[in-house]
């Protein structure tokens, strides 16, 4: 029973560690790109809804190069891209449309009826209500 014990040199370990390092760096880069894309999509949806976009499928018309994420994780250019889209393709956004040009009347507080304006029966009912609330 002769067993051959394989003694590894440090070179094999170093090569495998470099390969593993390269694999992890690639995975990290891919994950960061996916996270940035999701962050940009969320920011674009936020600004589109804030500006009144009717159908969010219109966001597919935006060139992704115009929006980017900086080192701090802040999305740059989303608001300007949405406003540009709103100018160029206004049918994607809700327009202010009203059949009446008049403004709503101001609200006035409900005026209670004075006792001198009430009939005897109305006065008795109102007095009974007041006495009951005490």
């Amino acid at each position: 029973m002769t067993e051959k014990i394989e003694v590894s040199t440090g070179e094999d370990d170093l090569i495998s560690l470099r390969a593993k390092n390269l694999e992890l760096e690639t995975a990290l880069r891919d994950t960061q790109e996916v996270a940035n894309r999701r962050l940009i999509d969320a920011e674009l949806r936020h600004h589109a809804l804030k500006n009144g976009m009717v159908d969010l499928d219109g966001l597919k018309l935006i060139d992704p190069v115009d929006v980017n994420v900086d080192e701090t994780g802040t999305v740059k250019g989303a608001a300007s891209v949405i406003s540009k889209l709103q100018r160029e393709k206004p049918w994607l956004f809700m327009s202010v449309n009203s059949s009446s040009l008049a403004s709503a009347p101001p609200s006035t507080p409900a005026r209670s009826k004075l006792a001198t304006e009430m009939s005897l029966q109305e006065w008795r009912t109102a007095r009974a209500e007041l006495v009951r609330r005490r």
Side-chain angles (χ1 to χ4, degrees):
M1 257 207 221
T2 59
E3 291 183 20
K4 188 174 182 183
I5 298 176
E6 198 173 302
V7 178
S8 67
T9 62
E11 229 174 274
D12 293 338
D13 291 339
L14 187 60
I15 291 171
S16 66
L17 286 175
R18 283 184 179 157
K20 182 68 173 171
N21 186 28
L22 182 62
E23 179 184 326
L24 289 174
E25 284 177 354
T26 305
L28 179 63
R29 194 175 311 111
D30 292 344
T31 304
Q32 188 66 36
E33 288 174 6
V34 168
N36 286 345
R37 185 75 241 156
R38 286 182 180 176
L39 185 62
I40 289 170
D41 289 344
E43 192 74 16
L44 287 172
R45 278 194 308 270
H46 166 73
H47 285 290
L49 290 174
K50 189 171 89 172
N51 288 351
M53 184 178 258
V54 177
D55 188 9
L56 293 180
D57 283 340
L59 293 176
K60 295 175 184 174
L61 300 171
I62 294 174
D63 187 14
V65 176
D66 296 339
V67 184
N68 57 13
V69 179
D70 63 4
E71 303 84 35
T72 61
T74 306
V75 177
K76 300 289 183 185
S80 62
V81 167
I82 293 295
S83 62
K84 179 182 172 188
L85 185 68
Q86 192 171 11
R87 281 190 311 274
E88 292 175 356
K89 299 177 182 355
W91 60 86
L92 291 174
F93 298 86
M94 288 190 300
S95 62
V96 178
N97 189 4
S98 176
S99 60
S100 173
L101 298 176
S103 61
S107 62
T108 56
R111 183 181 159 289
S112 59
K113 205 172 190 182
L114 299 175
T116 55
E117 298 170 348
M118 294 181 187
S119 67
L120 182 60
Q121 183 60 34
E122 287 175 329
W123 177 80
R124 286 182 180 160
T125 307
R127 183 177 180 280
E129 185 67 32
L130 284 173
V131 171
R132 190 175 347 138
R133 279 192 239 161
R134 284 188 187 183

